[in-house]
C-alpha cells in the first residue's frame, strides 16, 4: 500500500513542524540501526558470505585424529597427502600447504616475507587464476625443478611498484634464485590475509614413509559426494600407507594411535570458534535496536497523546482504525528510513573502526564491508523497527473516546497511572535489556582483568624479541649457523643497557609450537606402546634469564653444556610432576627419539623451570621440554648440541626495550647485511596480542552496554518528564494544600525507581539465561558471578534515580498559582 506524492509532502511537512521530535527520533534510531549494521557486516563477512572461490561449498579440510596419543586433531603428512591423492575416488583434487618465511635479499633492504609452501594442485583445487602470468603446474614441484614463485598483489604493488614486467624477473629468496611466474589478484588471500608469496612444496621420495604430520590438507569434493562418503573413502585407503610407503608410519603405529581421517567444511576450519563471539555481539546490538525502538515508541505515545483531539475529529469524520494505523505507519516508516540512512553513515565509520581494532587472528578480516547483503539487512531492520514503534500508538489510541477527547480542555485533568502503564512498560523493557548488556560487558571486563593478572610464566616488561632465519645458501651447515648465533648473542650482550640475551626456536604464544615424543628412561616402553607427546623447544644459555622464566630446581643451560658428551635438557614443573611424582627430576634422562637398534640418544635433565603459557594466556600451560641449543662449532661437533635455522632472539634490557631496536638490528646487519630482521616487538606486545580477542569482545560489549545505558536512562528521564508535564495541576494542588517540595520530589523519584526496579528484576532473570551462552568467552569468572550481577543492578538503580531526579526537581518547583491556571 503506497502513498501519493501529495501525502508524502504532507507527511514531511508534519515531521518538519516538530524538528525536535524528528531529530531525536532519527538520531536514536540511527544509533541502534548503525550499531546493528556495523556488527552484521562483520558477521556477514566472516560467517555468512561464502568463501571467495567458485563452488566453495565443495571445499573441505582433511584432518586426522589420534585418540591413542591424546591428539584430537592433527594435520597431513607427505605420505598421507600422496596416498589420498592417488587412491581416493571422492575428490576432484587434493592439495596441501604449509606456512613458510623467506628472506628477500634482491632489493636495497633485506625483507622477511610471509609465504606459503603449496603443492601444484592447490590453485586448481581452489579454482584460482592469476592476474598475471601463470600458477604452478605439476612439474614445478618435482625434485630438481627450477625454483619459481608467485607473488601476492599487495607485495607486487608495495615492494615492486606494480612493475608490469615482473613476470620472468628473478628474485633472491633465502639466497637462491626464484623466477616470478605469476601475480595473484588483489582479492586472493590464501591461506592467510598476510600471505605475500607462494612457492612449490617439493616432496623428495626419501621423505615418504615419515610420520611428519605438519601440513594442512584441503580437497574439492566431486559433485554429489557427501562428507560422510568422502570420510569413509579416506579411511578406506589410510591403512594402506605402511604398505605403499614403508617407514616410520607402521601399521602398528596406526593401530595403537587409533589414527583415523575426518573432514570439515573448509569454511568451518577458517572461521574456527570466532562464530560464538560474533553471534553474541550481534545479539547484544540487537538489544540496542529494541531499546531505541522503545524510546521512539515512547516519543510516539507522547506525540499521540497531544494529538488525541485531532484523532477524535478524524474518527468522527469517518476515519477508521486502518486509516489511523496508516498515518502512524507512514510517520514511523519515514523516520526509520531516515534513521537507516544516517545509520549506514555511522556504520561506515564503525566498520572501519572494527576492522582496525579487530584482533589479527580474526579470520576473513579483509572481506568485511558494507556489501549488498548488509544494506538489505539494514533496510529490513529499518522497516521492522518502523513497524514496531509505529504500531504502539495505534493500539493505545486507535479507538479514541470521542466525548472526552472533543471536550474543550479535556486534557486539563490529572493523568492516572493506568494511562501511563504502556510508557512504563516500555521503559522497564529498556532497563531490563540495558542490564543484560551491562552484565555481559561486566563479565567480559572481569575476564579481561583476570587475564591481565595471569602469570604468563615470562617477563612482560623490559624484553625485546625478534626473529631470524638463516638462508641455506649462505649457511649450508650447522657449524656456520651455530657460530652466527653465538657471535650475535655476544655482540648484543655487549650493548649498553642489555642485561641478558638468549635464543629459542619458538617464543611463547607467537612462533607456533612443536609437539614430539618423549622417551623416559625410568618408564621403558612395552612392545607396541607409544611414547607420550610433549611440547618441545630448543633454547640457548641465557634464554630463561632473558625471558624471566622462573627456575624451580637445578640450573639453566650453560655454554659448557654444548661441548659435553651428554646432551642436556630442562623440563617444566608439570612435566616433572607427571613423570617423576614425589621425587626430583634433576639427573633423570629422557630422549626425543625412539630406540634405533637398541641405541637411544639420552639427554640428562639439569633443571626444572616454571610453567609458561605457550598456547596463550587463557589456556593452561602445556607440559614442556627444552633441549640445549648448540651455539658453538664445538657444540655441533660434540654431536649432542641442537641448532636450528630459524630462531627468535630475546633481549632483556634495563630500560625501554624499543629504544635498543635500532642498535640490535645494526648488530644483526653487522654480521650479515642481507639478513632481514622480522617480528621485532616486546614481550608486552606479545602478551597483549594473546589477550586480543578477549579485549576486542570486551570493548565491543562495553560500547554496546554504554549505548544501552544511555538510551535506557533517556527513556526514564523522558517518561518522567512527560508525566510531570501532565500532572502539573496535580502537583500544584498538592503544594497548595501543604505538601512539601521534598515529598513531591520523593514521589516522582519513587515512580521512576519502581519502573527501574521492575526492569532490573526482569533483566536479572534474562541475564542469568543470556550469560550462560558466554561461558566459552569467559576466563576466571563464573557466568553467574553474583558481584557482577549485583554491581550492575545497583548501578542501574542509581543511574535511574539520577534520571528521575531532574523531572522530580522540576515537579517540586511548580508554582501553585500557575499550576491551577494550567489548561
Amino acid at each position: 500500500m503506497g502513498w501519493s506524492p501529495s501525502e508524502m509532502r504532507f507527511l514531511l511537512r508534519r515531521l518538519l513542524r516538530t524538528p525536535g521530535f524528528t531529530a531525536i527520533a532519527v538520531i536514536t534510531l540511527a544509533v541502534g540501526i548503525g550499531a546493528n549494521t556495523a556488527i552484521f557486516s562483520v558477521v556477514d563477512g566472516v560467517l555468512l558470505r561464502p568463501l571467495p572461490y567458485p563452488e566453495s561449498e565443495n571445499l573441505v579440510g582433511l584432518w586426522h585424529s589420534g585418540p591413542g596419543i591424546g591428539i584430537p586433531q592433527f594435520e597431513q603428512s607427505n605420505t598421507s597427502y600422496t596416498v589420498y591423492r592417488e587412491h581416493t575416488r571422492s575428490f576432484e583434487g587434493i592439495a596441501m600447504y604449509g606456512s613458510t618465511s623467506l628472506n628477500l635479499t634482491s632489493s636495497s633492504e633485506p625483507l622477511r616475507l610471509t609465504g606459503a609452501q603449496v603443492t601444484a594442485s592447490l590453485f586448481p583445487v581452489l579454482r584460482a587464476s592469476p592476474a598475471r602470468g601463470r600458477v604452478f603446474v605439476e612439474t614445478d614441484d618435482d625434485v630438481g625443478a627450477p625454483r619459481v614463485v608467485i607473488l601476492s598483489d599487495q607485495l607486487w604493488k608495495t615492494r615492486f611498484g606494480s612493475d608490469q614486467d615482473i613476470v620472468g624477473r628473478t628474485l633472491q629468496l633465502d639466497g637462491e634464485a626464484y623466477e616470478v611466474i605469476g601475480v595473484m589478484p588483489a582479492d586472493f588471500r590464501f591461506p592467510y590475509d598476510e600471505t605475500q608469496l607462494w612457492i612449490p612444496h617439493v616432496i623428495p621420495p626419501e621423505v615418504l614413509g615419515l610420520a611428519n604430520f605438519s601440513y594442512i590438507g584441503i580437497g574439492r569434493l566431486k559433485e554429489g559426494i557427501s562428507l560422510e562418503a568422502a570420510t569413509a573413502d579416506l579411511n578406506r585407503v589410510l591403512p594402506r600407507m605402511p604398505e605403499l610407503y614403508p617407514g616410520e608410519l607402521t601399521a602398528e603405529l596406526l593401530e595403537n594411535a587409533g589414527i583415523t581421517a575426518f573432514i570439515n567444511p573448509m569454511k568451518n576450519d577458517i572461521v574456527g570458534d570466532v562464530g560464538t563471539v560474533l553471534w553474541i555481539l550481534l545479539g547484544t546490538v540487537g538489544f540496542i535496536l529494541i531499546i531505541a525502538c522503545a524510546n521512539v515508541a515512547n516519543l510516539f505515545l507522547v506525540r499521540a497523546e497531544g494529538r488525541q483531539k485531532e484523532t477524535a475529529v478524524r474518527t468522527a469524520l469517518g476515519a477508521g482504525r486502518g486509516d489511523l494505523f496508516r498515518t502512524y505507519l507512514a510517520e514511523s516508516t519515514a523516520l526509520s528510513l531516515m534513521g537507516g540512512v544516517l545509520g549506514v553513515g555511522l556504520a561506515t565509520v564503525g566498520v572501519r573502526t572494527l576492522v582496525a581494532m579487530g584482533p589479527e587472528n580474526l579470520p576473513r578480516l579483509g572481506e568485511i564491508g558494507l556489501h549488498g547483503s548488509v544494506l538489505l539487512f539494514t533496510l529490513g531492520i529499518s522497516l521492522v523497527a518502523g513497524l514496531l514503534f509505529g504500531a504502539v500508538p495505534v493500539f493505545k489510541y486507535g479507538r479514541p473516546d470521542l466525548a472526552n477527547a472533543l471536550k474543550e480542555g479535556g486534557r486539563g485533568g490529572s493523568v492516572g497511572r493506568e494511562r501511563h502503564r504502556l510508557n512504563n512498560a516500555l521503559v522497564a523493557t529498556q532497563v531490563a535489556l540495558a542490564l543484560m548488556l551491562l552484565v555481559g560487558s561486566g563479565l567480559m571486563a572481569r575476564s579481561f582483568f583476570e587475564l591481565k593478572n595471569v602469570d604468563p610464566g615470562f617477563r612482560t616488561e623490559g624484553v625485546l624479541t625478534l626473529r631470524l632465519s638463516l638462508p641455506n645458501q649462505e649457511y649450508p651447515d650447522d657449524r656456520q649457523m651455530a657460530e652466527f648465533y653465538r657471535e650475535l648473542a655476544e655482540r648484543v650482550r655487549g650493548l649498553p643497557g642489555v642485561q641478558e640475551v638468549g635464543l629459542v626456536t619458538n617464543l611463547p604464544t607467537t612462533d607456533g609450537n612443536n609437539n614430539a615424543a618423549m622417551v623416559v628412561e625410568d618408564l621403558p616402553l612395552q612392545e607396541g606402546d607409544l611414547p607420550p607427546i610433549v611440547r618441545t623447544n630448543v633454547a640457548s644459555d641465557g634464554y630463561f634469564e632473558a625471558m624471566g622464566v622462573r627456575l624451580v630446581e637445578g640450573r639453566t643451560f650453560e655454554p659448557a653444556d654444548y661441548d659435553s658428551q651428554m646432551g642436556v635438557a630442562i623440563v617444566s614443573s608439570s612435566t616433572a610432576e607427571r613423570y617423576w611424582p614425589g621425587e626430583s627430576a634433576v639427573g633423570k634422562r629422557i630422549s626425543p627419539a625412539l630406540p634405533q637398534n637398541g641405541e637411544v640418544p639420552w639427554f640428562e635433565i639439569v633443571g626444572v623451570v616454571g610453567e609458561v603459557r605457550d598456547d596463550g594466556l587463557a589456556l593452561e600451560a602445556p607440559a614442556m621440554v627444552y633441549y640445549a641449543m648448540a651455539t658453538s662449532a664445538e657444540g655441533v661437533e660434540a654431536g649432542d648440541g641442537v641448532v636450528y635455522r630459524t630462531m627468535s632472539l630475546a633481549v632483556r634490557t634495563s630500560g625501554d626495550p624499543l629504544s635498543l631496536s635500532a642498535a640490535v638490528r645494526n648488530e644483526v646487519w653487522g654480521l650479515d647485511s642481507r639478513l632481514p630482521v622480522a617480528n621485532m616487538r616486546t614481550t608486552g606486545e606479545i602478551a597483549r596480542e594473546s589477550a586480543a580477542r578477549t579485549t576486542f569482545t570486551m570493548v565491543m560489549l562495553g560500547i554496546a552496554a554504554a549505548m544501552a545505558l544511555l538510551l535506557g536512562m533517556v527513556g526514564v528521564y523522558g517518561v518522567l518528564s512527560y508525566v510531570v508535564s501532565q500532572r502539573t495541576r496535580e502537583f500544584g494542588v498538592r503544594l497548595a494544600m501543604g505538601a512539601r517540595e521534598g515529598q513531591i520530589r520523593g514521589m516522582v523519584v519513587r515512580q521512576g525507581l519502581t519502573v527501574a526496579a521492575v526492569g532490573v528484576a526482569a533483566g536479572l532473570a534474562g541475564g542469568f539465561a543470556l550469560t550462560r551462552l558466554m561461558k566459552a568467552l569467559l576466563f576466571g569468572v563464573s557466568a553467574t558471578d553474583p558481584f557482577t550481577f549485583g554491581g550492575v543492578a545497583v548501578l542501574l538503580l542509581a543511574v535511574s534515580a539520577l534520571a528521575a531526579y531532574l523531572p522530580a526537581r522540576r515537579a517540586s518547583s511548580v508554582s501553585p498559582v500557575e499550576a491551577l491556571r494550567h489548561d
Side-chain angles (χ1 to χ4, degrees):
M1 181 171 56
W3 290 277
S4 66
S6 59
E7 289 176 311
M8 293 299 297
R9 286 193 295 271
F10 176 70
L11 169 65
L12 291 174
R13 282 199 302 271
R14 187 159 52 189
L15 291 176
L16 291 174
R17 279 202 300 267
T18 53
F21 162 80
T22 301
I24 292 173
V26 169
I27 292 172
T28 302
L29 289 170
V31 169
I33 293 171
N36 277 267
T37 300
I39 297 297
F40 182 76
S41 71
V42 180
V43 171
D44 178 67
V46 175
L47 302 180
L48 302 183
R49 292 177 69 80
L51 297 177
Y53 312 110
E55 298 177 17
S56 62
E57 67 277 4
N58 290 330
L59 292 172
V60 294
L62 278 58
W63 300 93
H64 294 110
S65 175
I69 53 177
I71 304 179
Q73 180 170 323
F74 60 95
E75 295 85 355
Q76 301 297 313
S77 68
N78 290 309
T79 309
S80 64
Y81 161 73
T82 303
V83 171
Y84 292 152
R85 188 170 178 224
E86 292 177 352
H87 297 280
T88 55
R89 300 187 291 263
S90 300
F91 300 89
E92 284 187 14
I94 292 176
M96 188 172 71
Y97 66 90
S99 298
T100 188
S101 295
L102 296 162
N103 297 340
L104 174 65
T105 55
S106 55
S107 55
S108 57
E109 181 179 318
L111 181 67
R112 187 70 175 164
L113 299 177
T114 301
Q117 198 171 14
V118 307
T119 58
S121 54
L122 176 80
F123 295 101
V125 165
L126 296 177
R127 295 184 182 172
S129 301
R132 293 175 175 275
R134 65 172 177 88
V135 294
F136 300 135
V137 295
E138 293 297 328
T139 54
D140 287 328
D141 55 15
D142 288 345
V143 177
R147 299 181 184 275
V148 291
V149 62
I150 298 173
L151 307 182
S152 70
D153 178 81
Q154 179 264 343
L155 180 64
W156 173 58
K157 288 178 178 175
T158 58
R159 193 65 179 184
F160 300 103
S162 302
D163 181 2
Q164 302 300 308
D165 299 319
I166 191 68
V167 175
R169 181 173 167 181
T170 299
L171 306 181
Q172 291 295 315
L173 298 172
D174 276 0
E176 300 193 25
Y178 282 75
E179 180 188 351
V180 178
I181 62 169
V183 177
M184 296 306 292
D187 60 353
F188 183 83
R189 302 181 182 95
F190 185 91
Y192 311 109
D193 285 351
E194 62 269 20
T195 301
Q196 297 169 290
L197 52 78
W198 297 265
I199 61 174
H201 176 70
V202 179
I203 305 177
E206 60 268 21
V207 305
L208 293 175
L210 298 180
N212 179 23
F213 292 90
S214 55
Y215 305 99
I216 299 176
I218 64 171
R220 179 177 286 276
L221 296 176
K222 289 181 179 177
E223 203 63 42
I225 297 294
S226 66
L227 294 178
E228 294 76 15
T231 300
D233 194 15
L234 291 175
N235 284 302
R236 175 183 60 82
V237 302
L238 187 151
R240 298 190 59 194
M241 290 183 194
E243 166 199 341
L244 294 168
Y245 299 102
E248 292 179 349
L249 197 64
T250 63
E252 188 177 46
L253 187 150
L254 286 176
E255 182 179 353
N256 291 338
I259 295 177
T260 57
F262 68 93
I263 290 174
N264 283 333
M266 192 169 122
K267 186 176 177 182
N268 292 359
D269 286 337
I270 291 175
V271 170
D273 61 353
V274 74
T276 304
V277 175
L278 296 182
W279 285 119
I280 287 175
L281 287 176
L282 184 61
T284 57
V285 295
F287 285 179
I288 293 177
L289 182 58
I290 296 174
I291 294 172
C293 287
N295 252 337
V296 178
N298 262 327
L299 288 174
F300 257 58
L301 285 173
V302 172
R303 185 178 172 85
E305 175 79 22
R307 292 167 57 185
Q308 282 191 81
K309 188 170 183 178
E310 173 195 335
T311 302
V313 170
R314 292 186 60 192
T315 303
L317 293 175
R321 190 180 180 92
D323 296 315
L324 297 177
F325 180 75
R326 191 166 175 265
T327 300
Y328 284 118
L329 184 62
E331 289 188 6
S332 65
T333 301
L335 289 171
S336 64
L337 290 177
M338 285 189 284
V341 171
L342 181 57
V344 168
L346 295 176
T348 302
V349 178
V351 168
R352 290 175 184 165
T353 305
L354 286 172
V355 171
M357 289 180 54
E360 290 184 3
N361 58 358
L362 183 67
R364 308 183 71 185
L365 201 61
E367 297 177 48
I368 297 171
L370 297 181
H371 304 291
S373 53
V374 177
L375 296 178
L376 282 175
F377 170 82
T378 305
L379 177 62
I381 61 173
S382 299
L383 294 175
V384 169
L387 181 63
L388 286 175
F389 70 78
V392 171
V394 177
F395 291 124
K396 187 169 184 182
Y397 297 114
R399 289 198 180 102
D401 183 347
L402 296 181
N404 286 329
L406 290 172
K407 282 181 182 177
E408 188 68 35
R411 293 175 62 252
S414 65
V415 182
R417 292 181 182 178
E418 183 70 25
R419 200 155 175 188
H420 296 295
R421 183 169 293 173
L422 183 54
N423 302 74
N424 292 338
L426 289 170
V427 171
T429 299
Q430 295 177 59
V431 172
L433 294 176
L435 184 139
M436 292 164 71
L437 286 183
L438 283 167
V439 165
S441 175
L443 290 175
M444 286 307 303
R446 288 284 306 276
S447 294
F448 174 76
F449 288 111
E450 289 291 333
L451 208 57
K452 290 276 285 183
N453 292 328
V454 163
D455 179 11
F458 58 87
R459 289 175 60 93
T460 56
E461 294 180 357
V463 181
L464 179 71
T465 69
L466 56 94
R467 195 145 176 88
L468 299 169
S469 186
L470 305 180
N472 291 307
Q473 196 76 8
E474 284 81 12
Y475 302 88
D477 58 49
D478 289 352
R479 283 177 56 91
Q480 290 171 302
M481 291 191 293
E483 285 297 332
F484 173 88
Y485 284 125
R486 179 194 60 77
E487 177 68 19
L488 176 62
E490 287 186 4
R491 284 186 174 218
V492 174
R493 195 175 281 117
L495 291 173
V498 172
Q499 296 179 325
E500 192 53 85
V501 176
L503 292 146
V504 70
T505 48
N506 296 309
L507 284 168
T509 80
T510 61
D511 298 329
N513 53 63
N514 181 44
N515 297 306
M518 182 182 74
V519 178
V520 181
E521 186 180 34
D522 296 344
L523 302 171
L525 297 173
Q526 302 301 315
E527 186 69 27
D529 285 352
L530 294 172
I533 304 297
V534 296
R535 182 70 50 81
T536 62
N537 222 335
V538 174
S540 74
D541 62 293
Y543 169 72
F544 298 102
E545 291 80 3
M547 289 291 289
V549 178
R550 183 172 58 94
L551 179 65
V552 176
E553 183 185 7
R555 64 174 178 84
T556 57
F557 295 139
E558 299 173 352
D561 290 329
Y562 312 130
D563 304 331
S564 67
Q565 297 303 306
M566 169 73 73
V568 297
I570 291 173
V571 299
S572 64
S573 299
S574 59
T575 307
E577 291 166 6
R578 181 180 304 176
Y579 298 104
W580 301 279
E583 58 180 314
S584 174
V586 175
K588 305 297 185 182
R589 298 202 302 177
I590 59 175
S591 175
L594 295 174
Q596 297 289 332
N597 301 320
E599 295 294 325
V600 179
W602 292 115
F603 286 71
E604 181 181 345
I605 296 174
V606 297
V608 178
V609 294
E611 301 299 303
V612 174
R613 292 189 178 247
D614 200 50
D615 293 323
L617 301 185
L619 298 175
E620 291 297 324
M624 294 281 295
V625 175
Y626 302 87
Y627 294 103
M629 170 193 170
T631 55
S632 70
E634 292 77 11
V636 172
E637 288 173 349
D640 295 313
V642 184
V643 63
Y644 276 76
R645 192 166 294 281
T646 300
M647 302 293 295
S648 287
L649 187 73
V651 183
R652 180 176 171 182
T653 68
S654 57
D656 178 11
L658 289 177
S659 66
L660 283 173
S661 57
V664 172
R665 186 183 290 110
N666 287 337
E667 293 300 337
V668 174
W669 288 345
L671 284 172
D672 189 340
S673 61
R674 299 161 300 175
L675 199 62
V677 176
N679 297 343
M680 184 172 278
R681 52 188 168 173
T682 66
T683 50
E685 292 177 78
I686 291 173
R688 285 191 292 274
E689 287 172 11
S690 178
R693 183 175 294 186
T694 299
T695 306
F696 175 72
T697 308
M698 180 196 70
V699 170
M700 292 298 100
L701 283 176
I703 293 172
M707 294 165 64
L709 180 63
L710 177 61
L711 290 174
M713 294 311 100
V714 167
V716 173
Y717 172 80
V719 165
L720 290 179
S721 293
Y722 172 58
V723 169
V724 167
S725 69
Q726 293 295 296
R727 297 174 65 184
T728 300
R729 182 184 175 106
E730 175 193 341
F731 294 142
V733 170
R734 287 177 180 270
L735 289 168
M737 295 180 67
R740 294 190 298 274
E741 292 183 2
Q743 291 176 314
I744 300 297
R745 282 197 297 269
M747 182 173 60
V748 176
V749 170
R750 278 195 301 274
Q751 182 177 347
L753 283 177
T754 300
V755 174
V758 172
V760 165
L764 288 173
F768 276 109
L770 177 68
T771 54
R772 293 180 186 276
L773 302 175
M774 297 178 59
K775 278 186 178 180
L777 306 181
L778 302 179
F779 176 82
V781 63
S782 166
T784 55
D785 177 53
F787 295 103
T788 303
F789 276 80
V792 167
V794 171
L795 172 65
L796 260 179
L797 289 174
V799 176
S800 298
L802 179 62
Y805 179 76
L806 297 177
R809 185 178 177 183
R810 191 165 66 250
S812 65
S813 63
V814 170
S815 167
V817 176
E818 292 299 323
L820 293 173
R821 293 176 183 170
H822 189 66
D823 282 344

